Amino acid sequence: MKVTVVGAGAVGASCAEYIAMKNFCSEVVLVDIKEGFAEGKAMDLMQTASLNGFDTKITGTTGDYSKTAGSDVAVITSGIPRKPGMTREELIGINAGIVKDVTENLVKHSPNVIIIVVSNPMDTMAYLVHKTSGLPKNKIIGMGGALDSARFKYRLAEALGAPISDVDGMVIAAHSDTGMLPLLSKATRNGVPVTAFLSEEQQAYVVEETKVGGATLTKLLGTSAWYAPGAAVSVMVQAIACDQKKMIPCSLMLDGEYGQSDICLGVPAIIGKNGVESIVEIELSDAEKEKFATAAAAVREVNGDLKF
Ligand code: NAI
């Protein structure tokens, strides 16, 4: 399995590190536009190999896409992250140009690649990749739900006073502060609905803190987070590499599912060797359906700013 990670910044390097540490893939190629940066990150990571016990070969290149040829999976993290007070949507102008250009280069050298889109505003960037890459829709996967669900579980465990391994929960809809839909009604502690344990005030706290999870970190760090995003991507890449058929919420092109079409939004999906093996349609309450539709309308508005 050969994986390319475009953007060797905070998130890209974290992706490469987690992928290598899990040792399921033979080769990771880091690509960046900054001269020598990807090469440097790759060398630094490779010098952890004997310490951390992995055999994955990590190399870096300054924009030479011939080095990415034959990639099975490519992760797009190139672009600018948000600064404190910014929304993900404000990044569209710069990141759309970068993502389009990167996609063309990736597909040129790896026509069968599966692309995982990370750059923000992610749902819109995933949509852009669908419109410009020519790849079938099972091969384009936006990363948002895997991270947001991890943040949801973190907040659930905190409110419950439970270990994280006790809780399960999922976030769907948009990867934005307002459009995220943490499915509290379906969250469980060892199979028991969490609503049985948490007061309404605690439930509201968990939902709100999940939705602003990225913004909270951006305020603390001065830029967006990287450990959990990198780990979330590595889980998705592993599901593909090992054909795990793992259910992961991802931003996918919808064609009637959840009442939406021609839009990328977060929905649960089975991820395996073909990328998206299938979309899972779960029953939502009327209130959840309304929130999903509102999130879709907001993403559609942002998509309207794209120029192909
Ligand atoms: P960063 O600034 O640390 O790294 C971005 C890298 O992309 C830089 O090294 C830059 O030189 C490189 N780059 C820019 N243009 C390029 C091009 N045309 N080709 C190759 N490389 C290029 O930013 P960070 O923190 O790694 O974030 C990257 C993106 O991921 C941002 O858009 C951020 O908002 C997004 N993000 C998305 C998350 C999600 O859940 N979907 C979570 C966290 C970040």
mmCIF file of all heavy atoms in Angstrom, residues 16-25 53-54 56 230-236 238:
data_model
loop_
_atom_site.group_PDB
_atom_site.id
_atom_site.type_symbol
_atom_site.label_atom_id
_atom_site.label_comp_id
_atom_site.label_asym_id
_atom_site.label_seq_id
_atom_site.Cartn_x
_atom_site.Cartn_y
_atom_site.Cartn_z
ATOM 1 N N ALA A 16 1.053 11.226 8.562
ATOM 2 C CA ALA A 16 2.161 10.343 8.164
ATOM 3 C C ALA A 16 2.686 9.583 9.370
ATOM 4 O O ALA A 16 2.968 8.382 9.299
ATOM 5 C CB ALA A 16 3.271 11.165 7.519
ATOM 6 N N GLU A 17 2.805 10.281 10.485
ATOM 7 C CA GLU A 17 3.344 9.659 11.693
ATOM 8 C C GLU A 17 2.431 8.522 12.192
ATOM 9 O O GLU A 17 2.889 7.411 12.454
ATOM 10 C CB GLU A 17 3.513 10.707 12.789
ATOM 11 C CG GLU A 17 4.156 10.138 14.040
ATOM 12 C CD GLU A 17 4.405 11.199 15.114
ATOM 13 O OE1 GLU A 17 3.871 12.313 15.010
ATOM 14 O OE2 GLU A 17 5.140 10.876 16.063
ATOM 15 N N TYR A 18 1.122 8.804 12.282
ATOM 16 C CA TYR A 18 0.201 7.765 12.774
ATOM 17 C C TYR A 18 0.121 6.588 11.801
ATOM 18 O O TYR A 18 0.042 5.435 12.222
ATOM 19 C CB TYR A 18 -1.199 8.338 13.015
ATOM 20 C CG TYR A 18 -1.316 9.118 14.311
ATOM 21 C CD1 TYR A 18 -1.524 10.483 14.302
ATOM 22 C CD2 TYR A 18 -1.216 8.471 15.541
ATOM 23 C CE1 TYR A 18 -1.633 11.202 15.483
ATOM 24 C CE2 TYR A 18 -1.319 9.174 16.729
ATOM 25 C CZ TYR A 18 -1.536 10.542 16.695
ATOM 26 O OH TYR A 18 -1.634 11.248 17.862
ATOM 27 N N ILE A 19 0.128 6.893 10.510
ATOM 28 C CA ILE A 19 0.057 5.806 9.520
ATOM 29 C C ILE A 19 1.291 4.912 9.670
ATOM 30 O O ILE A 19 1.203 3.686 9.731
ATOM 31 C CB ILE A 19 -0.063 6.371 8.084
ATOM 32 C CG1 ILE A 19 -1.434 7.024 7.878
ATOM 33 C CG2 ILE A 19 0.165 5.268 7.035
ATOM 34 C CD1 ILE A 19 -1.565 7.858 6.617
ATOM 35 N N ALA A 20 2.467 5.551 9.752
ATOM 36 C CA ALA A 20 3.709 4.775 9.874
ATOM 37 C C ALA A 20 3.731 3.968 11.175
ATOM 38 O O ALA A 20 4.076 2.785 11.174
ATOM 39 C CB ALA A 20 4.905 5.714 9.817
ATOM 40 N N MET A 21 3.338 4.600 12.255
ATOM 41 C CA MET A 21 3.385 3.930 13.571
ATOM 42 C C MET A 21 2.516 2.683 13.607
ATOM 43 O O MET A 21 2.793 1.755 14.367
ATOM 44 C CB MET A 21 2.906 4.895 14.661
ATOM 45 C CG MET A 21 3.817 6.081 14.878
ATOM 46 S SD MET A 21 5.043 5.795 16.142
ATOM 47 C CE MET A 21 4.043 5.880 17.594
ATOM 48 N N LYS A 22 1.441 2.686 12.792
ATOM 49 C CA LYS A 22 0.550 1.512 12.798
ATOM 50 C C LYS A 22 1.068 0.404 11.880
ATOM 51 O O LYS A 22 0.499 -0.685 11.853
ATOM 52 C CB LYS A 22 -0.873 1.948 12.427
ATOM 53 C CG LYS A 22 -1.486 2.827 13.512
ATOM 54 C CD LYS A 22 -2.889 3.283 13.176
ATOM 55 C CE LYS A 22 -3.409 4.196 14.269
ATOM 56 N NZ LYS A 22 -4.775 4.671 13.986
ATOM 57 N N ASN A 23 2.066 0.737 11.074
ATOM 58 C CA ASN A 23 2.828 -0.276 10.340
ATOM 59 C C ASN A 23 2.020 -1.125 9.358
ATOM 60 O O ASN A 23 2.346 -2.277 9.132
ATOM 61 C CB ASN A 23 3.502 -1.221 11.363
ATOM 62 C CG ASN A 23 4.926 -1.564 10.949
ATOM 63 O OD1 ASN A 23 5.379 -1.133 9.875
ATOM 64 N ND2 ASN A 23 5.615 -2.343 11.747
ATOM 65 N N PHE A 24 0.955 -0.572 8.777
ATOM 66 C CA PHE A 24 0.148 -1.375 7.852
ATOM 67 C C PHE A 24 0.434 -1.031 6.401
ATOM 68 O O PHE A 24 -0.169 -1.577 5.489
ATOM 69 C CB PHE A 24 -1.361 -1.209 8.150
ATOM 70 C CG PHE A 24 -1.856 0.215 8.055
ATOM 71 C CD1 PHE A 24 -2.141 0.775 6.827
ATOM 72 C CD2 PHE A 24 -2.035 0.982 9.189
ATOM 73 C CE1 PHE A 24 -2.576 2.086 6.722
ATOM 74 C CE2 PHE A 24 -2.469 2.296 9.098
ATOM 75 C CZ PHE A 24 -2.742 2.841 7.855
ATOM 76 N N CYS A 25 1.375 -0.126 6.182
ATOM 77 C CA CYS A 25 1.527 0.366 4.826
ATOM 78 C C CYS A 25 3.009 0.465 4.479
ATOM 79 O O CYS A 25 3.833 0.763 5.348
ATOM 80 C CB CYS A 25 0.740 1.649 4.841
ATOM 81 S SG CYS A 25 1.199 3.041 4.068
ATOM 82 N N GLY A 53 9.706 1.435 16.090
ATOM 83 C CA GLY A 53 9.483 0.081 15.589
ATOM 84 C C GLY A 53 8.549 -0.019 14.411
ATOM 85 O O GLY A 53 7.647 -0.842 14.410
ATOM 86 N N PHE A 54 8.744 0.831 13.395
ATOM 87 C CA PHE A 54 7.953 0.643 12.166
ATOM 88 C C PHE A 54 8.869 0.496 10.954
ATOM 89 O O PHE A 54 10.018 0.948 10.966
ATOM 90 C CB PHE A 54 6.927 1.761 11.970
ATOM 91 C CG PHE A 54 7.476 3.149 11.747
ATOM 92 C CD1 PHE A 54 7.995 3.551 10.531
ATOM 93 C CD2 PHE A 54 7.434 4.097 12.788
ATOM 94 C CE1 PHE A 54 8.474 4.844 10.329
ATOM 95 C CE2 PHE A 54 7.908 5.393 12.590
ATOM 96 C CZ PHE A 54 8.434 5.757 11.367
ATOM 97 N N THR A 56 7.544 1.197 7.706
ATOM 98 C CA THR A 56 7.010 2.034 6.626
ATOM 99 C C THR A 56 8.097 3.004 6.167
ATOM 100 O O THR A 56 8.756 3.632 6.995
ATOM 101 C CB THR A 56 5.789 2.838 7.140
ATOM 102 O OG1 THR A 56 4.853 1.932 7.690
ATOM 103 C CG2 THR A 56 5.152 3.650 6.025
ATOM 104 N N GLY A 230 -4.898 13.921 12.526
ATOM 105 C CA GLY A 230 -3.979 12.928 11.943
ATOM 106 C C GLY A 230 -4.388 11.511 12.304
ATOM 107 O O GLY A 230 -4.378 10.606 11.458
ATOM 108 N N ALA A 231 -4.779 11.316 13.562
ATOM 109 C CA ALA A 231 -5.197 9.978 14.000
ATOM 110 C C ALA A 231 -6.473 9.558 13.269
ATOM 111 O O ALA A 231 -6.616 8.396 12.865
ATOM 112 C CB ALA A 231 -5.420 9.978 15.515
ATOM 113 N N ALA A 232 -7.394 10.509 13.075
ATOM 114 C CA ALA A 232 -8.663 10.191 12.384
ATOM 115 C C ALA A 232 -8.385 9.752 10.945
ATOM 116 O O ALA A 232 -8.953 8.766 10.453
ATOM 117 C CB ALA A 232 -9.582 11.408 12.408
ATOM 118 N N VAL A 233 -7.473 10.465 10.277
ATOM 119 C CA VAL A 233 -7.124 10.077 8.899
ATOM 120 C C VAL A 233 -6.500 8.682 8.892
ATOM 121 O O VAL A 233 -6.818 7.848 8.033
ATOM 122 C CB VAL A 233 -6.157 11.104 8.256
ATOM 123 C CG1 VAL A 233 -5.617 10.571 6.932
ATOM 124 C CG2 VAL A 233 -6.847 12.442 8.044
ATOM 125 N N SER A 234 -5.629 8.420 9.851
ATOM 126 C CA SER A 234 -4.949 7.110 9.856
ATOM 127 C C SER A 234 -5.944 5.966 10.020
ATOM 128 O O SER A 234 -5.769 4.895 9.440
ATOM 129 C CB SER A 234 -3.861 7.049 10.939
ATOM 130 O OG SER A 234 -4.427 6.896 12.224
ATOM 131 N N VAL A 235 -7.001 6.186 10.787
ATOM 132 C CA VAL A 235 -8.039 5.161 10.956
ATOM 133 C C VAL A 235 -8.742 4.906 9.612
ATOM 134 O O VAL A 235 -9.025 3.762 9.239
ATOM 135 C CB VAL A 235 -9.055 5.597 12.050
ATOM 136 C CG1 VAL A 235 -10.327 4.764 12.001
ATOM 137 C CG2 VAL A 235 -8.408 5.500 13.431
ATOM 138 N N MET A 236 -8.979 5.991 8.868
ATOM 139 C CA MET A 236 -9.639 5.841 7.565
ATOM 140 C C MET A 236 -8.729 5.127 6.561
ATOM 141 O O MET A 236 -9.167 4.248 5.813
ATOM 142 C CB MET A 236 -10.069 7.217 7.039
ATOM 143 C CG MET A 236 -11.158 7.844 7.893
ATOM 144 S SD MET A 236 -11.411 9.596 7.574
ATOM 145 C CE MET A 236 -12.135 9.572 5.960
ATOM 146 N N GLN A 238 -6.314 3.087 7.243
ATOM 147 C CA GLN A 238 -6.175 1.677 7.650
ATOM 148 C C GLN A 238 -7.412 0.865 7.243
ATOM 149 O O GLN A 238 -7.292 -0.291 6.829
ATOM 150 C CB GLN A 238 -5.961 1.581 9.164
ATOM 151 C CG GLN A 238 -5.623 0.169 9.619
ATOM 152 C CD GLN A 238 -5.187 0.083 11.066
ATOM 153 O OE1 GLN A 238 -5.399 1.009 11.849
ATOM 154 N NE2 GLN A 238 -4.568 -1.014 11.427
#
